[in-house]
Amino acid sequence: RSSNPGDEALLVLQSGGGTVTGYGLAAAQLQRFKEHNMKLTICVEQVAASGGYMMCCVADHVVASPFAVLGSIGVISDIPNVYERLKQEGIEFQTVTAGKYKRTLTPTKKVTKEDLAKSKEDIEDILSLFKEFVKETW
């Protein structure tokens, strides 16, 4: 729907963060309010961390309860690895890929130094984008 002059939006946010893609999309959707000249206020009752913090950066005003936690800016990648256990059980897992970095860290393959380096590079790139987003929007 189209906005009218003076329209405002209020969002009550409770988020410990989550996926980069999900919160990047959420922040982009909130930016639509600003594109339609609507003021956006985000209220944080308890926590707006990581992706939640990203969403707060889009707001014109952030109102937080006295003990609310806002932040941090960071990126994490957790992937369990069961390669050694599968090997002990005599189970071999095969994955066919095309492209050097199509699949780096997975739960079922032996982790290499190259896999770890590429994954670290990827999350550092995402962190740089996150920081730039905060810098541009906050």
Side-chain angles (χ1 to χ4, degrees), residues 1 5 8-9 14-15 17-18 42 57 61 66-67 71 79 89 92 122-123 125 130 137:
R1 101 175 166 86
E8 296 187 27
Q14 169 70 23
S15 173
I42 295 181
C57 290
H61 301 285
F67 296 102
I79 301 171
E89 299 294 331
E92 186 176 322
D122 290 347
I123 64 171
D125 288 347
F130 191 168
T137 58

Side-chain angles (χ1 to χ4, degrees), residues 67-79:
F67 296 102
V69 175
L70 278 79
S72 64
I73 299 173
V75 180
I76 186 171
S77 175
D78 277 333
I79 301 171

Side-chain angles (χ1 to χ4, degrees), residues 47-87:
V47 63
S50 199
Y53 184 81
M54 177 184 279
M55 291 173 68
C56 284
C57 290
V58 177
D60 295 292
H61 301 285
V62 175
V63 179
S65 65
F67 296 102
V69 175
L70 278 79
S72 64
I73 299 173
V75 180
I76 186 171
S77 175
D78 277 333
I79 301 171
N81 189 279
V82 295
Y83 172 80
E84 290 297 329
R85 180 58 189 252
L86 291 174
K87 187 176 172 184

Side-chain angles (χ1 to χ4, degrees), residues 7-135:
D7 281 355
E8 296 187 27
L10 173 69
L11 173 69
V12 178
L13 180 63
Q14 169 70 23
S15 173
T19 65
V20 172
T21 54
Y23 280 90
L25 175 61
Q29 296 290 24
L30 291 176
Q31 285 179 313
R32 290 178 158 190
F33 288 108
K34 296 179 101 168
E35 291 168 6
H36 288 91
N37 298 315
M38 291 179 65
K39 295 288 184 189
L40 174 62
T41 299
I42 295 181
C43 296
V44 179
E45 295 174 339
Q46 294 181 36
V47 63
S50 199
Y53 184 81
M54 177 184 279
M55 291 173 68
C56 284
C57 290
V58 177
D60 295 292
H61 301 285
V62 175
V63 179
S65 65
F67 296 102
V69 175
L70 278 79
S72 64
I73 299 173
V75 180
I76 186 171
S77 175
D78 277 333
I79 301 171
N81 189 279
V82 295
Y83 172 80
E84 290 297 329
R85 180 58 189 252
L86 291 174
K87 187 176 172 184
Q88 288 174 358
E89 299 294 331
I91 300 169
E92 186 176 322
F93 196 91
Q94 297 293 323
T95 302
V96 178
T97 63
K100 183 176 180 179
Y101 295 116
K102 177 60 184 165
R103 189 70 71 197
T104 51
L105 296 181
T106 74
T108 56
K109 80 171 212 159
K110 186 173 184 175
V111 177
T112 68
K113 288 180 181 180
E114 184 181 22
D115 293 337
L116 288 173
K118 175 61 175 150
S119 292
K120 178 69 172 169
E121 178 185 325
D122 290 347
I123 64 171
E124 289 291 342
D125 288 347
I126 293 166
L127 178 60
S128 293
L129 292 170
F130 191 168
K131 287 180 178 180
E132 188 61 31
F133 181 86
V134 170
K135 184 179 172 182

